């Protein structure tokens, strides 16, 4: 049986269909823009926010040399780094890495005599030593690392290799409740961009073999995101806020 509509009824039906379509589209747009929805787009933004605070970096070696500061001194500055002028120290890993950073223009090196305090009696002795200090380029690089890194344990002592960029969220677990929060484990792919020129210095890459791994083209990572009143956030960022 065929149902016939008057022109007025047909117009009303068409209008209702259009309204339903507009409503469905609005709901879809709202879902996409809602930061609390568990989807790859929201998770990619949360991961990007997190890894921006955890860039790949190398630590500047402590040195292997005389120490002019008493054991346990709280006022010890991060620089200079000292390496004794003896065969054992100058052939050590710390010396090779510090010299590589000199070659790259991040550190300066000079020979000096350090008056080292020994024993509990406070006796001192003069020790021939190499002293490594930050160059102007090194100071800028260290300051940049301090700006982006949340960790404070190595402030003033790290050099970052670039900026981690999220390529895609590959998968995530169905959000579930744990420890009073809704959580999801997220797996993602990323690469490192905006690499400073010194990263390509052959002396640096030879002295710091971990750089090749940290700068691999296609890297994988995972993290845990938690749902907050502002949307999905990295668990470590929430804990540290």
């Amino acid at each position: 049986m065929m149902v016939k509509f008057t022109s007025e009824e047909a117009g009303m039906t068409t209008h209702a269909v259009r309204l339903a379509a507009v409503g469905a589209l609005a709901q879809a747009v709202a879902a996409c823009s809602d930061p609390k929805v568990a989807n790859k787009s929201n998770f990619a933004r949360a991961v990007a926010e997190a890894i921006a605070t955890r860039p790949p970096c190398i630590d500047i070696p402590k040195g292997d040399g005389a120490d002019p500061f008493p054991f346990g001194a709280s006022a010890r500055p991060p620089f200079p780094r000292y390496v004794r002028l003896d065969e054992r120290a100058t052939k050590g890993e710390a010396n090779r890495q510090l010299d590589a950073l000199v070659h790259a223009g991040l550190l300066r090196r000079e020979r000096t005599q350090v008056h080292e305090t020994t024993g509990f009696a406070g006796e001192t002795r003069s020790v021939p030593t190499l002293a490594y200090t930050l160059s102007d380029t090194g100071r800028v690089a260290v300051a940049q690392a301090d700006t982006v890194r949340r960790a404070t344990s190595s402030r003033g002592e790290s050099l970052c290799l670039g900026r981690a960029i999220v390529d895609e969220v590959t998968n995530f677990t169905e959000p579930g409740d744990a420890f009073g929060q809704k959580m999801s484990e997220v797996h993602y792919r990323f690469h490192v961009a905006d690499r400073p020129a010194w990263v390509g210095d052959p002396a640096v890459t030879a002295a710091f073999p971990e750089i090749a791994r940290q700068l691999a083209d296609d890297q994988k990572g995972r993290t845990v995101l938690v749902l907050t009143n502002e949307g999905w956030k990295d668990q470590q960022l929430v804990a540290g806020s």
Side-chain angles (χ1 to χ4, degrees):
M1 178 180 178
M2 182 179 295
V3 179
K4 295 184 178 181
F5 295 99
T6 65
S7 59
E8 183 178 357
E9 289 173 331
M12 293 176 62
T13 301
T14 303
H15 182 65
V17 170
R18 289 175 178 171
L19 286 177
V22 170
L25 178 61
Q27 288 180 343
V29 171
C32 291
S33 61
D34 184 354
K36 296 184 179 181
V37 173
N39 58 36
K40 288 186 176 183
S41 177
N42 284 337
F43 285 172
R45 281 194 292 269
V47 170
E49 178 187 24
I51 65 176
T53 68
R54 300 193 290 267
C57 301
I58 57 173
D59 292 328
I60 300 174
K62 296 290 186 184
D64 183 12
D67 188 350
F69 293 89
F71 177 77
S74 59
R76 181 186 284 104
F79 289 93
R81 300 286 215 252
Y82 296 105
V83 173
R84 296 173 184 271
L85 275 172
D86 60 46
E87 185 175 357
R88 179 188 65 82
T90 55
K91 289 187 177 180
E93 181 182 54
N95 180 241
R96 290 196 303 271
Q97 292 180 333
L98 289 168
D99 280 346
L101 297 178
V102 171
H103 187 271
L106 297 167
L107 297 180
R108 294 193 181 98
R109 178 186 62 200
E110 64 178 3
R111 294 185 176 218
T112 186
Q113 294 283 330
V114 168
H115 299 288
E116 182 181 48
T117 302
T118 61
F120 293 101
E123 299 176 352
T124 61
R125 63 178 178 177
S126 182
V127 180
T129 302
L130 292 173
Y132 295 84
T133 57
L134 288 171
S135 67
D136 291 342
T137 301
R139 276 191 291 272
V140 171
V142 165
Q144 290 173 338
D146 287 347
T147 298
V148 298
R149 297 184 78 187
R150 290 180 63 91
T152 58
S153 58
S154 58
R155 290 186 67 83
E157 303 182 39
S158 297
L159 299 164
C160 291
L161 309 176
R163 187 166 56 95
I165 304 294
V166 177
D167 293 318
E168 69 168 333
V169 169
T170 54
N171 61 77
F172 57 89
T173 60
E174 186 69 25
D177 294 323
F179 308 106
Q181 295 177 307
K182 191 173 290 294
M183 299 181 173
S184 176
E185 182 177 273
V186 177
H187 295 250
Y188 58 93
R189 293 174 47 253
F190 70 99
H191 69 279
V192 179
D194 301 332
R195 305 174 187 183
W198 60 264
V199 169
D201 188 295
V204 173
T205 54
F208 296 87
E210 67 270 26
I211 289 178
R213 173 184 55 80
Q214 291 178 292
L215 297 183
D217 289 335
D218 186 14
Q219 301 190 58
K220 297 178 181 179
R222 67 176 181 177
T223 191
V224 174
L225 301 182
V226 299
L227 183 61
T228 72
N229 64 319
E230 297 179 344
W232 291 94
K233 299 285 185 180
D234 180 86
Q235 186 181 39
Q236 293 183 36
L237 291 187
V238 173
S241 60

